Amino acid sequence: MSETGRVVLEAFVVAAVGLGVGLAANTMSPRGLSVSRNYFPKATEGGGTTQPSNGTIGVEPPATTQGVAATQETVVSPPGHAAVERLRNNGLQPISHDEVVQAFNDPQHQVDAILFVDARDDEHYRKGHIPRAVQLDHYRLERYIDVVLPLAQAAEKVIVYCNGGDCEDSEFATIELRNRGVDPTRLFIYVGGMKEWEAGGLPVEKGDRNSGDISTGAAR
Amino acid sequence: MSGQAGLLRRVDSTGVPAVLARLVLGGLFIYMGYHKAVDPVGFLKLIREYQMFPEGTHAAMNFLAVTLPWVEILCGALLVAGIAVRGTALLLTVMLVGFTFAVIQRALGIYQAGGIPFCAIKFDCGCGAGEVYICNKVAENAGLLLLSLLLVWSRAKRFALRPSLLPERRAADAPATVSAGR
């Protein structure tokens, strides 16, 4: 075998071993992914696919809406408008900050007839979530769906959120709930997400659901 | 020219340039691979932003997300230890060319969509170092590419545990050529 052939063969062997190590590590890791699962499901059958955002482009995004009392009108800044359009094009229902605050203050929220669903991972959820929100990490669905699904199916209104802005995890979590039989007319996506909630100086619960560790952030 | 080539070979034979290249390249790939391996979901989301995988190929995208970080870590470890050096370097060369092409393609897409100066474009390229300015990233990759090409070319075996996986064929083992009468 020529020297070039040997080097190429060596590269293939290293690649093969690397792929094997990767698959083994993924199988053993609690953070492992399912190779076969579609983590970015389509929002509508035969409709537009969810296109990823392009991430930041070296320019700081404009500030999200400042917190206001529920009775005042909110002004959605341009990034919010783009997200709202994307949701509507994908057959999903956006919900405004005012409506979210109203739902939070509704007595129905206390009996889970209005259910908040936090679509973020453990770290972000535990750092702070909307009080009484249940967690549904879309990428670790099997850990949460058995608890969340019955609650969502029984609720009159389900409001799903993530960080807000370009975050799409709330959309994927919503699609998963819809695909599992939750009435789509009861599913809403809080476009502003946790960033807008916190910017409004609204209560934030830390740790587990109903931990009681609630703080009210200062409006920014 | 042959004098220059001879000089390069003599420098290479000291083993020092190759060791330095192995440590820099290997260490960097271990670092970058580790940061991706500990957050496979984050890495998967970043791969998706490149929009390289058409509808229905999510399994290929997932496969890349779970295996690529470990390939990087393995390559980095092999280089640091001095095992299968040239083959590993060849693999890294191919990967670096692919990464750089993908990053430039994405940056061009952002540039054409937004009219932002090319070198002002910044995003998390999924390289394990967070958000980077595209021009800096391309320059960095060019440097890494040079190091990997050096290692593919180098014959240095010093300070290496097993520079070649396959046993090398010595001249004495080459079969003698016999002309047979017909």
Side-chain angles (χ1 to χ4, degrees):
Chain A
M1 186 186 296
S2 70
E3 195 171 354
T4 304
R6 284 152 46 80
V7 173
V8 171
L9 179 61
E10 197 171 72
F12 272 108
V13 169
V14 171
V17 171
L19 293 176
V21 168
L23 288 172
N26 183 66
T27 303
M28 293 187 295
S29 168
R31 297 179 196 155
L33 297 173
S34 164
V35 174
S36 59
R37 184 182 155 199
N38 183 3
Y39 286 95
F40 310 105
K42 279 168 73 167
T44 52
E45 261 322 304
T49 52
T50 49
Q51 291 297 319
S53 65
N54 264 321
T56 62
I57 47 176
V59 178
E60 282 298 311
T64 51
T65 55
Q66 293 299 307
V68 294
T71 52
Q72 294 180 21
E73 196 171 321
T74 53
V75 175
V76 181
S77 57
H81 270 304
V84 166
E85 282 307 304
R86 189 180 70 238
L87 290 176
R88 290 202 173 116
N89 289 341
N90 289 332
L92 300 169
Q93 300 187 100
I95 188 171
S96 71
H97 176 76
D98 278 353
E99 291 171 302
V100 168
V101 175
Q102 201 169 6
F104 179 78
N105 292 326
D106 191 319
Q108 296 280 63
H109 173 222
Q110 296 303 316
V111 294
D112 289 343
I114 295 176
L115 182 72
F116 282 84
V117 176
D118 189 315
R120 301 175 301 159
D121 60 26
D122 283 350
E123 183 189 345
H124 287 93
Y125 178 80
R126 297 186 68 78
K127 237 187 231 178
H129 52 266
I130 294 175
R132 293 186 55 77
V134 290
Q135 185 189 4
L136 181 63
D137 182 353
H138 154 74
Y139 300 93
R140 305 275 177 249
L141 211 58
E142 63 283 354
R143 292 185 199 168
Y144 306 99
I145 197 66
D146 288 342
V147 169
V148 176
L149 190 58
L151 289 172
Q153 286 170 330
E156 292 296 316
K157 188 180 243 178
V158 179
I159 300 171
V160 188
Y161 69 91
C162 54
N163 278 330
D166 284 335
C167 177
E168 297 171 276
D169 291 340
S170 54
E171 298 172 41
F172 299 128
T174 302
I175 293 166
E176 295 288 357
L177 288 173
R178 190 178 67 184
N179 289 348
R180 283 165 174 75
V182 178
D183 184 347
T185 62
R186 300 185 183 186
L187 284 167
F188 297 86
I189 294 176
Y190 177 19
V191 177
M194 202 60 202
K195 281 185 185 160
E196 187 172 43
W197 182 267
E198 287 179 310
L202 293 159
V204 171
E205 182 174 61
K206 292 181 182 166
D208 294 332
R209 188 189 190 213
N210 296 327
S211 67
D213 183 3
I214 295 177
S215 58
T216 303
R220 290 174 202 155
Chain B
M1 192 66 180
S2 60
Q4 277 182 329
L7 174 63
L8 287 173
R9 278 293 173 206
R10 276 200 298 279
V11 172
D12 180 49
S13 67
T14 64
V16 173
V19 166
L20 290 176
R22 278 172 33 212
L23 291 176
V24 169
L25 201 57
L28 214 54
F29 269 89
I30 290 172
Y31 173 84
M32 293 193 293
Y34 170 80
H35 281 279
K36 296 173 201 169
V38 295
D39 184 13
V41 169
F43 186 47
L44 177 65
K45 290 185 190 179
L46 290 171
I47 292 175
R48 177 172 173 260
E49 288 183 9
Y50 282 87
Q51 302 181 39
M52 293 186 305
F53 293 87
E55 193 66 33
T57 61
H58 55 266
M61 185 166 65
N62 296 347
F63 183 81
L64 188 68
V66 306
T67 57
L68 185 61
W70 290 99
V71 172
E72 292 186 1
I73 292 172
L74 177 70
C75 287
L78 289 175
L79 283 185
V80 168
I83 300 172
V85 175
R86 296 182 72 199
T88 302
L90 178 61
L91 180 59
L92 287 181
T93 300
V94 170
M95 286 164 61
L96 281 165
V97 169
F99 294 161
T100 307
F101 176 75
V103 165
I104 290 175
Q105 278 282 94
R106 184 172 164 198
L108 281 174
I110 294 171
Y111 171 72
Q112 284 159 4
I116 299 163
F118 190 80
C119 285
I121 293 172
K122 176 184 178 185
F123 53 81
D124 189 338
C125 58
C127 314
E131 287 191 353
V132 291
Y133 284 100
I134 188 63
C135 288
N136 292 349
K137 189 63 202 167
V138 171
E140 179 188 314
N141 279 10
L144 296 178
L145 206 50
L146 279 175
L147 289 179
S148 64
L149 287 170
L150 165 68
L151 291 174
V152 174
W153 169 82
S154 171
R155 301 294 190 272
K157 293 180 182 17
R158 292 183 73 187
F159 314 115
L161 281 178
R162 185 164 175 160
S164 177
L165 272 183
L166 304 171
E168 289 188 355
R169 200 174 182 192
R170 293 175 297 175
D173 292 339
T177 315
V178 178
S179 57
R182 294 186 182 179

